[in-house]
Amino acid sequence: MQLQVGHMVLALSLMGRQQQQGTRAGDVDTVTKRSRADSVAIVRAARNAQSGFESFRRNRLPSTSAGSGGGVCDMRIGRYCYWRGDEDEETPPVESPDIRQRRNELIRVLDGAAQLLPGDAWVAGQRVRYLVEADSIDAALRAANAECRGPASWCNALAGYAAQVGARFATADSSFSRALAAMDSAQRCQWFDISDLLSGALADRFKKLDCAGREHFVRRLFWFGAPLYSVSATDLLTEHFTRLTRATLSEHSASTDGEAWGDDMRELVIRYGWPRWHTRSTPAFGWEDRPSITGHDAGVPYDFLPSTHALDSISQISSADWELTDSRATNGYAPSYARTVHQIPHQIAVFRRGDSALVVAAWNGRADTLLLGRHLTAALALVNDEGSPVVARLADAPLLGRLTAIAPIDSGIASIEIVAPGDLRASRARVGIAGRTANLLSVSDLLLYAPSDSAATSLDAASSTELPSDVLSGSRALGVFWETYGLPPDVGVADFALSVEQIDVDWLHRAAASIHLSDPATELRVRWQETAIQHDGIAPRGVRLDLSRLRAGRYRIALTVTTSNGGTAVATREVQIE
């Protein structure tokens, strides 16, 4: 088989020389006929080489025991049973040297065909595909950018494909942008059709949109869904375009599993990506049955698409707007930089500094066992609606840590992102940033901190002991800090009311407590009046609370500030008291 591939390379070289000699002889008609025939022969030879390689690989895949798949299907799509797998899935085995050698021989065949037929889309596509598979990303990008003479939309899509698989997300974004710009309106509309990825309210909303509306919807949805803003704000979108490109590459070529291409295979690729490695199992009974081929993802595919609530209320989003580990999700993405992505306990509070938002964040990584004992990096990303993130980074991050960032944004998202880069593990937390109320009375977020004997009088003092989550101990004092903005200089005395009220108590128990017929330890209320001291329009204030009388449960802390001229501002935060 290796000799046969070598003969293919030699044949392609001879064809090129014959074309050049025919041109020098000046027999244009003869050369044209010969060129057409030779072009067909070149492509046929390349297709045979590609099919032969996949057959060669299929017969040498790592073996597993029969019936060792994922069990019950999470999703059944046509001929295929898909299951999400778990976070302990095995790592890919080392590829056989024979397969690597055979792939390199195939690449040489495709190199020769591309030199003779630089405008052939299939040859250009397969060449980039197998260069990427061989981890030759630079060569794949050269093949797509400098040596591809096919349609501009296709060559740029191939460059985006290579860049995305190589984790060069900015390059992928630029390449796909050029590809989209070169498409006609019908093809561009098809590329933004994500009907197969959506369900429920998101699907209902998408169906009602025209092409322009769908493009805006998809860009916004995938921007919200980007797994880690500190890595890329566009890689979920470029992953979708990469899958579309991969589906086109696979449509007219032999597959590793030996199955004919069909709509079910395309749907699998678009929704969950293509397998990065395969195993084969021999049937337990019956020599006539074919071996079963199982495709494996590079990691766990998480559902990063947010809820409709997140799209509509950016300032109110929370981690609850994502259900990352839904095994029945209609889509999934396994980022190359994070085999696992978890939600992390946290506290994020936003304060105003002129036209900017100052965000203080704390996290607790001890609950995520996959982060324990690993070298961690941390980032706090601030991003306005579909903009580029401002990122504060910490190279050596502790499991319990804090970060501060400031950015000239109004409404947007604050995202804590903790990564173990050497182990491809990540945890994150996201909250919305509310817009400013210019020249009106307003209050910052409530910042929870561990107080000393006296309450904090500045943000620096409070944030230095910021609590790393909303889970509180009832046996310890709690500090609550906030800033008030927009107080008129002549307002005089302001009224402050702070309450801690249980929210998982039914109305009957609440009514009984209000008339002292049951244990009243489900709420705490404090009210006072004072003249707020302002500096540059900011009035800082902290209080120290004793929670020891409150029983365990979920509570809402609420602050109301009222001025003598009728102004009112409210801030709330929910906590769990244990």
Side-chain angles (χ1 to χ4, degrees), residues 117-375:
L117 300 174
D120 188 275
W122 186 90
V123 170
Q126 299 305 314
R127 187 183 181 208
V128 169
R129 169 186 176 178
Y130 288 104
L131 283 169
V132 167
E133 205 177 88
D135 201 27
S136 299
I137 302 301
D138 289 335
L141 288 171
R142 285 195 301 272
N145 288 322
E147 299 165 8
C148 179
R149 296 294 182 269
S153 59
W154 178 237
C155 294
N156 281 295
L158 291 174
Y161 171 88
Q164 177 75 11
V165 178
R168 305 180 188 185
F169 303 118
T171 301
D173 186 41
S174 299
S175 297
F176 282 122
S177 294
R178 291 194 297 271
L180 289 166
M183 295 178 187
D184 60 37
S185 57
Q187 185 182 11
R188 186 182 180 104
C189 189
Q190 290 176 354
W191 269 51
F192 284 98
D193 184 355
I194 59 170
S195 302
D196 288 339
L197 307 184
L198 304 179
S199 61
L202 288 174
D204 293 339
R205 182 174 298 189
F206 185 76
K207 291 176 183 176
K208 300 175 184 177
L209 301 174
D210 60 13
C211 287
R214 288 185 171 192
E215 178 170 343
H216 176 74
F217 178 90
V218 170
R219 289 187 181 279
R220 182 172 172 80
L221 182 71
F222 282 46
W223 173 81
F224 271 97
L228 299 178
Y229 288 128
S230 58
V231 176
S232 171
T234 60
D235 68 303
L236 189 61
L237 179 61
T238 52
E239 173 68 15
H240 175 63
F241 294 152
T242 298
R243 294 176 182 183
L244 291 173
T245 306
R246 175 67 186 213
T248 303
L249 287 170
S250 301
E251 185 174 359
H252 300 294
S253 61
S255 64
T256 304
D257 64 8
E259 298 291 340
W261 181 261
D263 291 342
D264 52 356
M265 191 180 292
R266 177 182 175 82
E267 185 175 342
L268 268 175
V269 171
I270 301 304
R271 287 168 61 171
Y272 304 107
W274 65 97
R276 303 307 171 96
W277 57 288
H278 294 79
T279 55
R280 68 197 304 266
S281 59
T282 303
F285 304 100
W287 60 271
E288 294 183 346
D289 291 337
R290 292 189 305 165
S292 174
I293 307 296
T294 300
H296 300 260
D297 295 315
V300 178
Y302 293 94
D303 180 8
F304 289 106
L305 296 185
S307 67
T308 52
H309 172 263
L311 294 179
D312 296 335
S313 308
I314 187 172
S315 65
Q316 300 175 20
I317 69 166
S318 69
S319 297
D321 285 301
W322 283 267
E323 191 175 354
L324 299 178
T325 57
D326 181 7
S327 63
R328 303 282 297 173
T330 55
N331 70 93
Y333 172 38
S336 60
Y337 47 83
R339 287 178 57 85
T340 58
V341 182
H342 295 162
Q343 306 282 15
I344 193 168
H346 64 283
Q347 185 189 179
I348 298 176
V350 182
F351 299 85
R352 294 296 173 185
R353 294 295 181 268
D355 293 333
S356 296
L358 173 64
V359 179
V360 294
W363 62 87
N364 181 2
R366 291 176 175 171
D368 190 343
T369 57
L370 293 177
L371 298 182
L372 298 178
R374 306 182 191 274
H375 172 258

Side-chain angles (χ1 to χ4, degrees), residues 250-560:
S250 301
E251 185 174 359
H252 300 294
S253 61
S255 64
T256 304
D257 64 8
E259 298 291 340
W261 181 261
D263 291 342
D264 52 356
M265 191 180 292
R266 177 182 175 82
E267 185 175 342
L268 268 175
V269 171
I270 301 304
R271 287 168 61 171
Y272 304 107
W274 65 97
R276 303 307 171 96
W277 57 288
H278 294 79
T279 55
R280 68 197 304 266
S281 59
T282 303
F285 304 100
W287 60 271
E288 294 183 346
D289 291 337
R290 292 189 305 165
S292 174
I293 307 296
T294 300
H296 300 260
D297 295 315
V300 178
Y302 293 94
D303 180 8
F304 289 106
L305 296 185
S307 67
T308 52
H309 172 263
L311 294 179
D312 296 335
S313 308
I314 187 172
S315 65
Q316 300 175 20
I317 69 166
S318 69
S319 297
D321 285 301
W322 283 267
E323 191 175 354
L324 299 178
T325 57
D326 181 7
S327 63
R328 303 282 297 173
T330 55
N331 70 93
Y333 172 38
S336 60
Y337 47 83
R339 287 178 57 85
T340 58
V341 182
H342 295 162
Q343 306 282 15
I344 193 168
H346 64 283
Q347 185 189 179
I348 298 176
V350 182
F351 299 85
R352 294 296 173 185
R353 294 295 181 268
D355 293 333
S356 296
L358 173 64
V359 179
V360 294
W363 62 87
N364 181 2
R366 291 176 175 171
D368 190 343
T369 57
L370 293 177
L371 298 182
L372 298 178
R374 306 182 191 274
H375 172 258
L376 303 178
T377 64
L380 175 58
L382 309 183
V383 55
N384 59 8
D385 201 348
E386 301 182 61
S388 298
V390 172
V391 183
R393 301 179 187 271
L394 185 59
D396 295 300
L399 283 170
L400 287 170
R402 302 179 182 86
L403 264 176
T404 301
I406 187 168
I409 65 175
D410 188 12
S411 61
I413 294 175
S415 180
I416 299 174
E417 299 171 356
I418 312 301
V419 180
D423 303 279
L424 303 181
R425 309 295 182 183
S427 285
R428 73 176 200 182
R430 288 183 177 172
V431 303
I433 297 174
R436 296 184 298 273
T437 53
N439 302 320
L440 297 176
L441 182 68
S442 62
V443 180
S444 70
D445 288 340
L446 301 180
L447 174 65
L448 310 181
Y449 68 99
S452 59
D453 293 337
S454 59
T457 58
S458 70
L459 177 57
D460 287 343
S463 62
S464 65
T465 59
E466 179 181 4
L467 299 182
S469 79
D470 61 0
V471 179
L472 311 179
S473 171
S475 62
R476 298 178 182 175
L478 172 68
V480 181
F481 178 86
W482 67 91
E483 293 178 345
T484 306
Y485 315 107
L487 282 169
D490 57 348
V491 72
V493 174
D495 184 89
F496 294 83
L498 186 66
S499 64
V500 184
E501 186 173 5
Q502 193 167 4
I503 57 178
D504 54 1
V505 179
D506 59 47
W507 69 270
L508 185 61
H509 287 83
R510 194 181 304 281
S514 68
I515 57 175
H516 308 291
L517 295 179
S518 67
D519 179 12
T522 60
E523 63 180 28
L524 171 68
R525 296 181 181 275
V526 182
R527 185 171 181 175
W528 71 98
Q529 292 183 332
E530 66 181 26
T531 301
I533 300 175
Q534 302 185 64
H535 301 283
D536 298 325
I538 301 173
R541 185 67 161 93
V543 298
R544 188 176 188 274
L545 301 177
D546 180 4
L547 306 180
S548 61
R549 293 184 62 251
L550 300 178
R551 64 186 184 189
R554 192 73 181 169
Y555 286 78
R556 179 180 294 110
I557 303 176
L559 170 73
T560 302

